[in-house]
């Protein structure tokens, strides 16, 4: 028995003894505080008063193990337009584990995947808004639905410009209930052209395939044009307008435009619609014998020749630190929207072989990952 618990028992014994003596003095020893005192007084003669009172007190008092209920773990909502297995969800879970969270013990995840369906995404956001989650993580395009929620902190990871997307007016001090990170880096847009030129020295004409629905698209195009001009490359701008959900008629038309242009290579701006159609884009480039450059490693995994940009999975790992801060009382406005500082170059050698392209050894040495 702990010292504190023993003190409570002794105090209760004293109080019950006073009650018992008071009742005896008045000749009323039956039923007080819901207790029939007559049998207890009789037991005193066999066991002694102190033993009886200790037994009574310990019966009435809660045991130390049940005196306080364990705290209810906080619930975090996860909203994704994709499906499982979800590498970004696993990245977020990894980040939580690094911070000492154990799922099911001191944190609970409420998970909603929309499987590429916009209505399911909106329904998932509505369900989370009505649940008892303390914050919601909106992965990539899921922020389109989560942004309508105003009374719960929202953490996002997006590829575009949060200001142009209307998510905030200030990256360093977000307004409202949203914060997170963006992959947009204009320096990286120019670097992709330089790396593609190293892989394809004969590069003279380059298609830039771009979705005009993507926030920050014009800035990314400008950075790409500047890099192409410096390398004396003719840039052919092929635009399309498309949501990352549903069919892709606009993208199909854009690819036909690319085919007719007969460029030496193709760079594809990373965002939701091209990400959703990355397998189609990779197959098209191989069929047209076009060396291709993309923005994230998932495109190279799907068969693209090269990718250069921030790691989406790592961004979700880092997002766990913002979730931890919000669980500890921070507000979204206290957490600046992060921009990437680390980038990875991925080269798919299987695709290079299919194109009959020899990648310079110096470029291979720079690669963070080579897909054999």
């Amino acid at each position: 028995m702990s010292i504190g618990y023993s003190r409570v028992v002794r105090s209760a014994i004293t109080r019950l003894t006073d009650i018992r003596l008071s009742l005896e003095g008045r000749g009323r020893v039956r039923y007080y505080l819901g207790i029939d005192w007559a049998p207890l007084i009789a037991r005193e003669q066999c066991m002694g008063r102190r033993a009886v009172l200790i037994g009574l007190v310990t019966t009435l008092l809660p045991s130390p193990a049940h005196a306080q209920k364990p705290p209810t773990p906080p619930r975090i909502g996860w909203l994704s337009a994709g499906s499982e297995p979800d590498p970004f969800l696993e990245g977020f879970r990894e980040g939580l584990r690094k911070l000492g969270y154990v799922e099911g013990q001191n944190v609970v995840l409420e998970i909603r995947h929309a499987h590429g369906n916009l209505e399911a995404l909106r329904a998932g956001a509505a369900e989370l808004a009505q649940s008892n989650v303390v914050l919601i993580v909106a992965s990539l395009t899921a922020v389109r639905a989560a942004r309508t929620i105003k009374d719960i902190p929202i953490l996002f990871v997006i590829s575009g410009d949060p200001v142009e997307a209307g998510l905030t007016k200030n990256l360093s001090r977000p307004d409202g209930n949203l914060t997170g990170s963006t992959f947009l880096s204009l320096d990286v847009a120019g670097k992709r052209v330089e790396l593609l030129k190293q892989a394809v020295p004969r590069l003279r004409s380059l298609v830039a395939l771009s979705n005009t629905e993507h926030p920050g698209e014009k800035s990314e195009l400008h950075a790409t044009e500047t890099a192409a001009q410096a390398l004396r490359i003719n840039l052919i701008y092929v635009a399309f307008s498309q949501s990352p959900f549903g069919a892709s008629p606009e993208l199909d038309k854009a690819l036909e435009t690319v085919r007719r242009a007969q460029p030496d290579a193709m760079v594809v701006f990373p965002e939701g619609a091209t990400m959703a159609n990355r397998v189609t884009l990779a197959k098209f480039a191989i069929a047209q014998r076009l060396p291709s450059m993309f923005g994230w490693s998932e495109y190279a995994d799907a068969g693209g020749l090269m990718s250069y940009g921030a790691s989406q999975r790592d961004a979700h790992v880092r997002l766990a630190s913002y979730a931890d801060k919000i669980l500890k009382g921070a507000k979204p406005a206290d957490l600046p929207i992060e921009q990437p500082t680390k980038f990875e170059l991925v080269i798919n050698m299987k695709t290079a072989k299919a194109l009959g392209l020899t990648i310079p050894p110096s470029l291979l040495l720079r690669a963070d990952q080579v897909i054999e």
Side-chain angles (χ1 to χ4, degrees), residues 77-81 110-114 117-133 135-139 141-152 154:
W78 175 270
L79 184 64
S80 169
E110 291 281 353
I111 300 169
R112 300 291 187 277
H113 283 100
N117 185 293
L118 181 57
E119 291 306 314
L121 184 67
R122 290 170 175 162
E127 290 173 8
L128 291 175
Q130 296 300 317
S131 67
N132 59 346
V133 297
L135 68 96
I136 296 173
V137 178
S139 178
T141 53
V143 74
R144 292 177 177 229
R147 66 184 301 171
T148 61
I149 301 169
K150 302 300 182 182
D151 56 349
I152 301 174
I154 307 293

Side-chain angles (χ1 to χ4, degrees), residues 319-333:
L319 199 63
S321 66
Y322 270 17
D324 175 58
K325 291 176 181 178
I326 288 177
L327 293 179
K328 292 176 178 176
K331 304 298 182 184

Side-chain angles (χ1 to χ4, degrees), residues 98-354:
K98 288 180 178 179
L99 294 168
Y101 289 94
V102 179
E103 194 172 345
Q105 294 185 19
N106 58 357
V107 71
V108 174
L109 297 185
E110 291 281 353
I111 300 169
R112 300 291 187 277
H113 283 100
H115 308 285
N117 185 293
L118 181 57
E119 291 306 314
L121 184 67
R122 290 170 175 162
E127 290 173 8
L128 291 175
Q130 296 300 317
S131 67
N132 59 346
V133 297
V134 295
L135 68 96
I136 296 173
V137 178
S139 178
L140 302 175
T141 53
V143 74
R144 292 177 177 229
R147 66 184 301 171
T148 61
I149 301 169
K150 302 300 182 182
D151 56 349
I152 301 174
I154 307 293
L155 295 179
F156 61 77
V157 177
I158 65 169
S159 59
D161 183 348
V163 175
E164 189 173 322
L167 300 177
T168 185
K169 296 178 181 178
N170 192 324
L171 295 182
S172 61
R173 189 167 179 80
D175 49 313
N177 63 318
L178 299 97
T179 190
S181 65
T182 172
F183 294 120
L184 185 66
S185 173
L186 301 183
D187 291 338
V188 170
K191 190 67 175 179
R192 291 182 187 123
V193 178
E194 296 174 13
L195 291 169
L196 192 53
K197 174 68 173 178
Q198 293 177 37
V200 189
R202 60 176 174 79
L203 181 58
R204 293 292 180 270
S205 63
L206 174 66
V207 156
L209 183 65
S210 176
N211 184 0
T212 57
E213 292 290 315
H214 184 230
E217 184 262 353
K218 292 300 181 185
S219 298
E220 195 163 5
L221 174 61
H222 178 71
T224 303
E225 287 175 333
T226 300
Q229 289 172 2
L231 294 170
R232 297 182 180 180
I233 296 172
N234 178 37
L235 190 72
I236 305 168
Y237 176 49
V238 177
F240 67 99
S241 176
Q242 185 173 308
S243 162
F245 305 96
S248 53
E250 289 295 320
L251 179 58
D252 292 340
K253 294 177 183 177
L255 291 180
E256 177 60 21
T257 301
V258 173
R259 187 188 67 79
R260 291 177 179 176
Q262 297 184 333
D264 295 325
M266 175 176 71
V267 61
V268 178
F269 294 173
E271 48 80 41
T274 57
M275 176 69 170
N277 291 278
R278 61 191 181 277
V279 174
T280 297
L281 292 169
K283 288 182 177 179
F284 169 83
I286 293 173
Q288 300 299 315
R289 301 191 67 77
L290 277 177
S292 55
M293 168 63 82
F294 297 90
W296 305 324
S297 63
E298 288 78 12
Y299 291 91
D301 290 337
L305 174 64
M306 302 170 65
S307 69
Y308 183 70
S311 167
Q312 294 190 92
R313 191 182 190 281
D314 287 350
H316 287 86
V317 172
R318 293 195 309 274
L319 199 63
S321 66
Y322 270 17
D324 175 58
K325 291 176 181 178
I326 288 177
L327 293 179
K328 292 176 178 176
K331 304 298 182 184
D334 302 329
L335 306 173
I337 294 174
E338 289 189 334
Q339 294 176 278
T341 57
K342 182 182 178 181
F343 308 98
E344 58 182 7
L345 172 63
V346 180
I347 301 175
N348 190 322
M349 291 303 293
K350 292 189 293 185
T351 299
K353 183 177 180 180

